[in-house]
Amino acid sequence: MVKNAPPLLQLEQPKGFIYADEKLTTGQAGTCTLYLHLTNGAVTFAVREKTSGKFLGAECILSQETSITEQLRQAQRESQLLSITKFNSCEVAVANAFHTMVPAGLFHQGDESDLLRFSISRTDLEPAVDEVTGLSIKVIYGIQPELKALLLQSFTDLKIKSAVACQLEYQLLNAARTKTPVMQLVCHPELLTIIVSEGKKLLFVNSFNIRDMGEAAYYTLMAGEQLDLEISTLDIELNGTMHCCEILKTRLEAYCGEITYSEGLFKDELSYKLQSAQTSGLMPVLTLGL
């Protein structure tokens, strides 16, 4: 069943994708680390073999369940990748718009609750904090207590991270080679994250709850205008849930210059099965490997 998996991109009523190296299906793979990227509408898994350091499989399951906990339960029930993989540790990236940032030097342990309450109107979120390596920034973010409880119940040796912290580290590595502004768009069914940097200087980061790709295009153009960037010549890199990226790219092409999909950074760490995929559809979960 896995060997005849559908292609990464399904334009009509997309249901997701799966890629799996034969080592997983034949039992030749060693113990793996499971990476899990969670956002409303899309749950993405990737497995990385500990001995070789190679990503051997990836799977995305799309869902219209109303709560992210039910989406995770559905993904656990339907996942083919989980059923054929031996893993003894798990790292999870939670992608939502409930986050803020402060310089690391101004943060003191215990501040995360007050900082989150000051920035986010919701009062039902459990605060957590990550540091972005190389930027000296603390990302304070909120996670639903019921989601955290389900994750702790479902996986052993679990680490939970902020997806935007992972994306910032990827941006630092990927865009530091240029001195001109670079925009990264991370697009999911109900969430758009925009990151703009110039060399190692972070210019802008924000996440927006969206209803459709029209709104995603609007926020992208507004961010460019707010930063006084020439959007028609700006380098824009796009990744996220693949069918969302396809639609957003089409919406933006009339206004923007070259829009590229994420490529290359993890190329040597991907099984040949994953190398045949469009890396942009895998990038959000792969950034956990940083």
Side-chain angles (χ1 to χ4, degrees):
M1 189 172 182
V2 173
K3 291 182 180 179
N4 297 320
L8 175 63
L9 178 61
Q10 300 179 1
L11 291 178
E12 295 183 4
Q13 296 181 343
K15 296 180 180 179
F17 63 81
I18 178 171
Y19 282 87
D21 191 286
E22 286 84 354
K23 289 177 69 175
L24 293 171
T25 59
T26 60
Q28 294 177 297
T31 302
C32 297
T33 297
L34 174 69
Y35 295 105
L36 172 57
H37 184 279
L38 282 169
T39 190
N40 281 332
V43 177
T44 308
F45 301 100
V47 291
R48 189 182 206 174
E49 189 178 36
K50 291 188 174 182
T51 54
S52 67
K54 292 275 189 180
F55 286 94
L56 300 183
E59 182 178 23
C60 179
I61 297 175
L62 305 182
S63 175
Q64 294 184 342
E65 294 282 353
T66 55
S67 79
I68 195 165
T69 52
E70 289 306 312
Q71 291 173 26
L72 176 56
R73 289 190 177 97
Q74 175 191 334
Q76 290 175 287
R77 290 193 305 268
E78 297 180 0
S79 172
Q80 298 175 54
L81 196 61
L82 294 187
S83 67
I84 60 174
T85 303
K86 297 180 294 183
F87 59 90
N88 60 7
S89 60
C90 178
E91 297 189 19
V92 178
V94 178
N96 58 39
F98 313 129
H99 59 78
T100 188
M101 290 177 292
V102 295
L106 299 179
F107 176 82
H108 299 90
Q109 200 64 36
D111 288 351
E112 55 267 33
S113 181
D114 289 341
L115 287 168
L116 186 67
R117 300 290 178 265
F118 179 77
S119 305
I120 306 298
S121 59
R122 288 183 57 164
T123 59
D124 60 334
L125 302 174
E126 184 172 331
V129 60
D130 280 335
E131 182 163 357
V132 180
T133 304
L135 286 177
S136 296
I137 288 174
K138 294 283 189 179
V139 176
I140 295 92
Y141 66 100
I143 181 173
Q144 297 91 328
E146 62 274 17
L147 175 60
K148 183 175 180 181
L150 178 58
L151 289 168
L152 291 170
Q153 175 187 336
S154 302
F155 303 104
T156 58
D157 194 10
L158 175 70
K159 296 179 181 177
I160 301 176
K161 301 180 179 180
S162 162
V164 75
C166 299
Q167 291 154 4
L168 283 166
E169 293 192 359
Y170 167 74
Q171 178 79 356
L172 182 67
L173 290 171
N174 194 49
R177 64 181 183 272
T178 177
K179 294 183 179 180
T180 58
V182 175
M183 175 182 285
Q184 180 192 170
L185 301 177
V186 189
C187 188
H188 298 295
E190 298 181 27
L191 184 75
L192 174 73
T193 296
I194 303 175
I195 300 172
V196 183
S197 64
E198 188 174 23
K200 294 185 177 182
K201 182 180 179 182
L202 181 63
L203 301 179
F204 179 89
V205 56
N206 206 350
S207 295
F208 304 90
N209 291 318
I210 56 173
R211 290 173 293 185
D212 53 39
M213 295 306 108
E215 283 195 350
Y218 169 78
Y219 285 126
T220 300
L221 297 175
M222 287 299 296
E225 182 178 327
Q226 181 179 340
L227 295 170
D228 198 24
L229 298 173
E230 183 50 66
I231 199 75
S232 63
T233 60
L234 182 66
D235 288 336
I236 300 177
E237 184 178 286
L238 182 59
N239 66 70
T241 305
M242 198 59 230
H243 75 281
C244 298
C245 294
E246 288 285 329
I247 298 169
L248 180 56
K249 184 177 181 182
T250 300
R251 290 291 185 97
L252 289 174
E253 281 177 337
Y255 307 96
C256 300
E258 185 177 9
I259 302 174
T260 60
Y261 288 137
S262 306
E263 297 290 348
L265 188 60
F266 291 93
K267 205 68 173 178
D268 294 336
E269 300 170 21
L270 302 180
S271 159
Y272 81 98
K273 283 284 190 178
L274 275 72
Q275 288 184 15
S276 66
Q278 292 190 42
T279 314
S280 55
L282 308 178
M283 193 59 67
V285 72
L286 295 184
T287 58
L288 273 160
L290 296 174

